[in-house]
Amino acid sequence: MRTGRPLLAATALAVVTTGAAYTFGPDAPPAKPAKHAKVSKTKAADPATQAGTKSASGTLAADSVTAACPTDAKYPKREMRGIWIATVKNIDWPSRTGLTPARQRAEYVRILDEAVKHRFNAVFFQVRPASDALYKSSLEPWSEYLTGTAGKDPGWDPLPFLIAEAHRRGLEFHAWFNPYRAAFEGGMEGLPTNHPARKHPEWIVKHEGKIYYNPGLPAVRDHVTAVVKDVAQRYDVDGIHFDDYFYPYPGAGAPFNDDAAFRKYGKGAKRADWRRDNVNTLISQVDTTVHQVKPYLKFGVSPFGIWRNKAQDPSGSATGGMSAYDSIYADARHWIRKGTVDYVIPQLYWPRGFKAADYDVLVPWWAAQVKGTDVDLYIGQGLYRVGATDSAAWRKAGELASHLALNRKYKEVNGDVYFSAKQLLTNPLGALDQVVAKYYTRPALLPLIKGLGGKAPATPADLKAQDGAISWNPSLDARSYAVYRVTSGDAGECATADARNLVAVVPASGQGRQSFTTRGSGTYLVTALDRLQNESPTAKIVIP
C-alpha cells in the first residue's frame, strides 16, 4: 500500500489473478452494519455538543439551517482532499538523509504550499515507518530517514513544526503509523540498543529478510497502542492513521513463524481466524485509546483495496486479486461494522477497466460497505501510477480525473487521498491540473464524522470593510473561518449550502481581529469553524 506503499521499491502496484504473483508500489500501495458508537467515546451525549445543533451563541448551526436547501453536486461543500507524505526510504520527505533542519523545513513547506495550491485540505504524514520515530520519543529510536543513522538525534523535533505549518495553511494533520514493521531491512544487529526489538527479542518474527512484531502477542499490541497514545497526548494532531501493512504481504512463500504464539493464545481457533482477531483487537484497542485521550481525534485505516473476491466469498467484490482478508488478515469490513474506525481509505490504485481489480467495481462495493454506518469513506488514489509505462490507462492524463467523476455518483464517497507527495510536486501528465479544473474548482470544508462531538463556534461579530479587506472579531474556539461571496441572486441561508459561493477557508490567526482580502464587490458571508469544522451561522457584509 502506500504507507507501506512507499515501502516497496519502485515497481508499480499490480494485481493479477488470485494465487499468482503480484507486486505493489513503492511503500506502496499499498447488510446494515452496526451503528458506530462514538458518542460514548466522546462523552458528548448532550445534544448541545453535537454538530448540527445549537452553537455557542444559541442559534442554529449552519449545517442544520441549510439541510433542506437545494445543492449542486458539482460543488460539494465537504470533501476530504488529502495527500500522503511518506518518510520511509525518503520517498517524499525529507528527500534524502542528512539534510540540515533548515533544508528539511523548506522541503516540507514546499509540499504544503503545493497542497494548498491544489485546494487540498489534509495531510497524512508518516511519523513511524518501522518502529522508529520522526519525532522525539522515549519509546522508540529516532528514524534513520532523518540523519542516515538509526537512533541518531537530528538536533530538533520536527513534529511540532510539521503540525503547525499544516495548521497555518488550514490543512488537517493525520499522524500515520505502520503498526507491525520492526525494521524495514537488515538484522537485529543494525538496530539501536534502545530499540524495542532489541529489548524484547521475544516480540519479533524474522521473515524474508525483514523483522516484524508478532501481532499475536498482547505485549506487542500494548506497545503499539502506547506509541500511538504518546503522540496523541503530546502533539496537536487531528487524526491517527494506520496503513495497510498488518501481517506481511505474500512474498517468496516462506511461512510467517508465529507457531509459539498460536499455541499459547490460539485457544483452538483456526490460525487464519486467530490472526484476523489479533488485528481486529489492535484496531479496537487503538480506537478506544485514541478517543479516551482526545475525543475529537479521528482514527482510520487505509486497507488494501480488495477485501475479498466473490470467488472466495459471495459478499466480496467482482475482482480477482489478492484478498486482504485471507492474505494479510485485515478485515476492514469488520472494523466498519463494529465502528472501530472513523474512516477507511481503501487503496484503489488500479485504473477503470482493469479486469483483476476494476476501479469501477471497487468503488460501489466499498460504498455499500459504509452505507448506513457512521464510518466515512475516502478513496486512496494512486497518483504515483500516473504516467506508468506498464499501463495504457495510466498513460492517459484524464484517468485520475475520471475516478472522481465516478466517486461523485456515490454519496457515501466523501473524498480522496493521494499517494504521494512526490507526485504532488511533479504533477505527472498534468493529471492534477485536470482534477483541480474539473472537481476542485472551489475550496472544501472537511467532512463531519458523526459522534466525534465538537460544537459550532459563535457567529463572527462586528464585520467591517476597509481598504480592500473585511475583518471581524475572533470567535471563541474557532480554528478557521469560511468566507463565501455572492455576486447575484439570494444571499440567504441557502447561499452556504454547497461550495459554489465558497471562496476561502481562512485559518484563525491569533487573538486579534481576523481578516480576508476581498475579491471584488458582492455580499460576503463569514462563518466560524471549530477544529472538526462544525460551522457557525453566517455573518454578512455587503461590498458595493
Side-chain angles (χ1 to χ4, degrees), residues 83-145:
I83 188 76
W84 276 295
I85 303 176
T87 57
V88 67
K89 292 292 185 181
N90 298 105
I91 288 174
D92 295 321
W93 185 90
S95 62
R96 58 183 174 83
T97 61
L99 297 179
T100 65
R103 177 69 181 276
Q104 291 173 350
R105 287 191 286 265
E107 287 190 349
Y108 180 72
V109 164
R110 184 186 173 208
I111 292 171
L112 297 191
D113 287 345
E114 283 297 313
V116 171
K117 174 184 173 183
H118 290 87
R119 300 195 181 98
F120 282 37
N121 54 23
V123 295
F124 293 74
F125 184 92
Q126 191 175 33
V127 300
R128 186 196 196 236
S131 194
D132 53 357
L134 273 289
Y135 57 93
K136 187 174 181 60
S137 171
S138 63
L139 301 176
E140 296 187 313
W142 283 105
S143 175
E144 66 179 294
Y145 303 118

Side-chain angles (χ1 to χ4, degrees), residues 65-348:
V65 173
T66 61
C69 295
T71 58
D72 188 334
K74 293 188 298 183
Y75 304 109
K77 178 172 176 173
R78 295 185 180 273
E79 184 173 57
M80 168 61 72
R81 300 172 184 175
I83 188 76
W84 276 295
I85 303 176
T87 57
V88 67
K89 292 292 185 181
N90 298 105
I91 288 174
D92 295 321
W93 185 90
S95 62
R96 58 183 174 83
T97 61
L99 297 179
T100 65
R103 177 69 181 276
Q104 291 173 350
R105 287 191 286 265
E107 287 190 349
Y108 180 72
V109 164
R110 184 186 173 208
I111 292 171
L112 297 191
D113 287 345
E114 283 297 313
V116 171
K117 174 184 173 183
H118 290 87
R119 300 195 181 98
F120 282 37
N121 54 23
V123 295
F124 293 74
F125 184 92
Q126 191 175 33
V127 300
R128 186 196 196 236
S131 194
D132 53 357
L134 273 289
Y135 57 93
K136 187 174 181 60
S137 171
S138 63
L139 301 176
E140 296 187 313
W142 283 105
S143 175
E144 66 179 294
Y145 303 118
L146 290 171
T147 64
T149 302
K152 183 178 179 180
D153 191 331
W156 72 303
D157 183 352
L159 195 49
F161 172 83
L162 302 175
I163 296 168
E165 290 299 310
H167 289 167
R168 198 187 318 279
R169 290 163 177 79
L171 298 166
E172 192 170 61
F173 188 99
H174 293 245
W176 159 23
F177 299 76
N178 180 283
Y180 292 127
R181 192 162 52 226
F184 184 63
E185 59 189 358
M188 293 282 285
E189 64 281 355
L191 300 178
T193 56
N194 65 337
H195 194 288
R198 292 285 293 269
K199 295 195 288 186
H200 299 281
E202 71 278 9
W203 287 0
I204 69 165
V205 176
K206 296 179 180 179
H207 179 75
E208 296 188 342
K210 296 181 175 62
I211 301 171
Y212 296 89
Y213 289 126
N214 189 338
L217 299 178
V220 164
R221 295 192 290 269
D222 290 346
H223 175 70
V224 173
T225 303
V227 169
V228 170
K229 181 178 180 180
D230 178 54
V231 170
Q233 283 182 323
R234 293 195 294 122
Y235 296 95
D236 189 24
V237 299
D238 301 297
I240 299 296
H241 181 70
F242 277 3
D243 55 44
D244 59 322
Y245 287 92
F246 294 101
Y247 280 83
Y249 270 84
F256 185 77
N257 186 8
D258 56 1
D259 292 354
F262 181 54
R263 285 194 298 270
K264 184 173 183 179
Y265 297 107
K267 298 179 180 179
K270 294 181 179 179
R271 188 174 305 220
D273 292 336
W274 173 72
R275 286 177 172 176
R276 276 186 291 273
D277 185 64
N278 293 333
V279 175
N280 292 343
T281 299
L282 175 69
I283 296 296
S284 178
Q285 185 171 318
V286 169
D287 177 63
T288 298
T289 300
V290 164
H291 292 102
Q292 286 174 343
V293 171
K294 292 177 181 174
Y296 57 78
L297 288 180
K298 302 173 182 179
F299 172 54
V301 181
S302 49
F304 182 74
I306 298 173
W307 173 72
R308 296 192 92 187
N309 302 290
K310 276 190 179 295
Q312 300 159 315
D313 187 322
S315 60
S317 53
T319 49
M322 188 199 85
S323 157
Y325 180 96
D326 298 286
S327 296
I328 58 175
Y329 308 100
D331 187 356
R333 194 172 71 161
H334 175 88
W335 313 332
I336 293 169
R337 292 185 168 194
K338 293 297 183 180
T340 52
V341 291
D342 296 310
Y343 64 82
V344 290
I345 314 175
Q347 297 174 39
L348 305 189

Side-chain angles (χ1 to χ4, degrees), residues 12-13 348-352 354 359 381-403 428-429 431:
L13 172 64
L348 305 189
Y349 295 164
W350 307 288
R352 302 179 70 180
F354 180 51
Y359 188 89
Q381 298 290 354
L383 176 60
Y384 80 102
R385 292 288 288 143
V386 175
T389 57
D390 63 347
S391 168
W394 282 121
R395 291 197 296 272
K396 298 176 182 177
E399 176 65 25
L400 192 63
S402 75
H403 291 193
L429 303 183

Side-chain angles (χ1 to χ4, degrees), residues 48-67:
T49 67
Q50 298 300 303
T53 59
K54 289 190 176 182
S55 72
S57 63
T59 55
L60 286 175
D63 290 289
S64 287
V65 173
T66 61

Side-chain angles (χ1 to χ4, degrees), residues 496-521:
T496 63
D498 57 28
R500 77 185 76 187
N501 298 313
L502 183 62
V503 293
V505 179
V506 182
S509 57
Q511 300 301 312
R513 285 183 67 82
Q514 311 293 293
S515 65
F516 173 74
T517 301
T518 55
R519 303 178 183 180
S521 61

Side-chain angles (χ1 to χ4, degrees), residues 342-344 370 373-378 412 414 447-449:
D342 296 310
Y343 64 82
V344 290
V370 302
T373 75
D374 290 345
V375 176
D376 265 23
L377 171 64
Y378 317 127
E412 293 84 8
N414 290 312
L448 288 175
I449 297 177

